Amino acid sequence: MKLRLFPQEPAGLQLLSQMARQILEATGTLSEIFGAPVAEHERLVEEMHEHEAKSTDLHFALLTHMRTSFVNPLPREDMYALSRFLNEAMEKLDAAGELVALYKLDRVPKRAADQLEIISRQAELTVDAMRQLDDLDELEDYWIEVLRLAKRAERSHRTWVAEMLRDMKSTQFSRNRDVANQLVEVTKDMRRVATQVGSIIVKEA
């Protein structure tokens, strides 16, 4: 028997899915920033800011929706937590792009691309998962996979920091580490989204 909450308006789930979509699109923009010459950073960072602004707008739209809807597809506290974690992930992704521009980094280590690949996969999975929150039987694999990806990201982060410490001068290391730290925090926020979904699955079981 499918784990399904009683029928609700899907608008809230669509808003959550759209927030995850903004993260996915922002990873593409950040990938461009990593590969772009310094002269292109300002334009691309402005594009990142637009993704962040859209995410914030969706976050507040969801809050308004929850206040004005008689029923919601999930308990309000769960929907709020999911929205907050997604928005915080977007803010950190935006910060990573801004740091590259502020520090005028013309080369970013290859491991940055590895981390972006993980974030992109987490976001892809989350886009679909947010739409399926009224059918929880389908989401256990999502929960497990995002956690697995987050653990992979943390291992990659530790290796990246060790490599930079070995190969870079102190100022260069500090600047690149700031970017690395923002990226791994994004993966942790995506893990928080998945963990919140896991808690919903357990509560509704």
Side-chain angles (χ1 to χ4, degrees), residues 80-100:
Y80 173 74
L82 292 168
S83 182
R84 180 168 63 87
F85 295 146
L86 287 168
N87 197 46
E88 289 175 357
M90 182 66 247
E91 289 173 351
K92 290 162 188 167
L93 206 56
D94 181 44
E98 189 168 33
L99 285 170
V100 172

Side-chain angles (χ1 to χ4, degrees), residues 153-184:
E154 291 191 42
R155 287 193 297 270
S156 179
H157 174 74
R158 290 191 290 269
T159 304
W160 183 6
V161 171
E163 289 172 347
M164 290 189 293
L165 187 59
R166 181 191 65 211
D167 299 335
M168 294 179 178
K169 295 181 179 178
S170 59
T171 299
Q172 187 185 19
F173 166 74
S174 179
R175 292 173 176 177
N176 280 274
R177 183 188 57 188
D178 286 349
V179 176
N181 287 346
Q182 291 294 333
L183 293 179
V184 78

Side-chain angles (χ1 to χ4, degrees), residues 117-170:
E117 180 185 348
I118 292 171
I119 294 168
S120 179
R121 182 56 183 152
Q122 286 179 319
E124 284 178 356
L125 293 167
T126 304
V127 169
D128 293 334
M130 294 300 98
R131 295 196 199 105
Q132 299 171 14
L133 283 168
D134 60 348
D135 190 2
L136 299 175
D137 279 346
E138 302 299 317
L139 292 179
E140 189 168 343
D141 288 345
Y142 155 76
W143 175 19
I144 294 169
E145 179 62 10
V146 171
L147 266 59
R148 186 191 68 80
L149 288 165
K151 290 178 182 179
R152 178 181 148 198
E154 291 191 42
R155 287 193 297 270
S156 179
H157 174 74
R158 290 191 290 269
T159 304
W160 183 6
V161 171
E163 289 172 347
M164 290 189 293
L165 187 59
R166 181 191 65 211
D167 299 335
M168 294 179 178
K169 295 181 179 178
S170 59

Side-chain angles (χ1 to χ4, degrees), residues 52 68 168 189 192:
E52 192 275 331
T68 57
M168 294 179 178
D189 279 334
R192 291 181 183 105

